[in-house]
Amino acid sequence: MSKSDRLPRESYLNSYYATGDYMDTFSVSLEGRQDLQAADIRVLADHILNADIAWMNALLRARDMVVKPLGMKTTSDLAREQSQVPMSARQPGDRIGFFKIYSVTENEIVLGEDDWHQDFRLSIFRKIGPKPGVFASTCCKRHNLFGHLYLALILPLHKKIAATVLDYATAQDLAAV
């Protein structure tokens, strides 16, 4: 079961964060999930981010219909930029789902997008060892009043989605998604 948590100190996202930015972190245990502990971090991120959850997909479609007239990027706009490179070979600039990759290490991938109202980064950070786990952290740099309003509106849904995708991913076989 996922929980609200703190981002591990060694995460790159800590250096991205600045005073005034929004950041949250959710984590879930990877105990008993050797497949997720050993998977390439890009494959793990794909497994988490592309969970096929009907209510979440419906919310994304509704979001896209609302934000498109405002000039914001939609999930389909971003998905068109998807690379045909195999998942485990994707590098910064490629995408996983509609998220652009900014950095990749063995146990952390940082994804996100820059837009006129806010820039955001999402870290999928895997902790290996006696208490293995995966941390999903989001950092938002809001540029204007609309960025603040947008984040305030989506925040309750964002938190529910973050927790749900972590729980879903750790309940599903890696090959099933």
Side-chain angles (χ1 to χ4, degrees):
M1 190 85 188
S2 61
K3 63 179 183 175
S4 181
D5 209 334
R6 291 191 56 145
L7 183 62
R9 218 173 322 148
E10 54 278 20
S11 169
Y12 166 80
L13 203 58
N14 285 311
S15 65
Y16 180 77
Y17 174 81
T19 303
D21 291 348
Y22 172 82
M23 183 155 37
D24 64 22
T25 301
F26 294 87
S27 69
V28 68
S29 173
L30 290 181
E31 289 187 41
R33 291 305 310 266
Q34 291 304 118
D35 58 333
L36 299 180
Q37 290 179 50
D40 182 280
I41 194 68
R42 293 161 284 214
V43 172
L44 177 59
D46 183 58
H47 180 69
I48 293 168
L49 297 173
N50 289 309
D52 191 18
I53 302 169
W55 65 265
M56 189 177 77
N57 294 336
L59 284 174
L60 284 173
R61 285 191 300 275
R63 175 221 175 257
D64 286 349
M65 288 189 324
V66 170
V67 303
K68 188 173 182 89
L70 300 173
M72 291 170 54
K73 297 174 184 176
T74 66
T75 55
S76 58
D77 293 335
L78 299 171
R80 279 193 288 278
E81 298 174 19
Q82 187 70 259
S83 169
Q84 298 306 311
V85 174
M87 191 59 61
S88 61
R90 295 192 184 176
Q91 296 298 319
D94 291 330
R95 291 191 180 275
I96 294 178
F98 53 85
F99 297 102
K100 183 188 297 181
I101 300 171
Y102 282 86
S103 69
V104 180
T105 64
E106 183 179 355
N107 287 308
E108 183 176 31
I109 185 167
V110 177
L111 308 110
E113 195 63 42
D114 295 343
D115 212 334
W116 63 270
H117 65 300
Q118 74 175 3
D119 299 344
F120 80 92
R121 296 295 181 271
L122 165 65
S123 164
I124 304 293
F125 183 93
R126 178 177 49 204
K127 182 178 171 190
I128 304 295
K131 292 187 177 189
V134 64
F135 298 77
S137 302
T138 304
C139 181
C140 298
K141 294 184 178 291
R142 295 154 292 183
H143 300 309
N144 49 45
L145 179 61
F146 186 77
H148 285 268
L149 290 172
Y150 178 76
L151 184 61
L153 285 172
I154 68 160
L155 206 50
L157 294 170
H158 160 78
K159 290 179 179 188
K160 177 70 173 159
I161 289 169
T164 299
V165 296
L166 284 176
D167 290 339
Y168 183 86
T170 54
Q172 301 295 315
D173 290 338
L174 188 58
V177 177

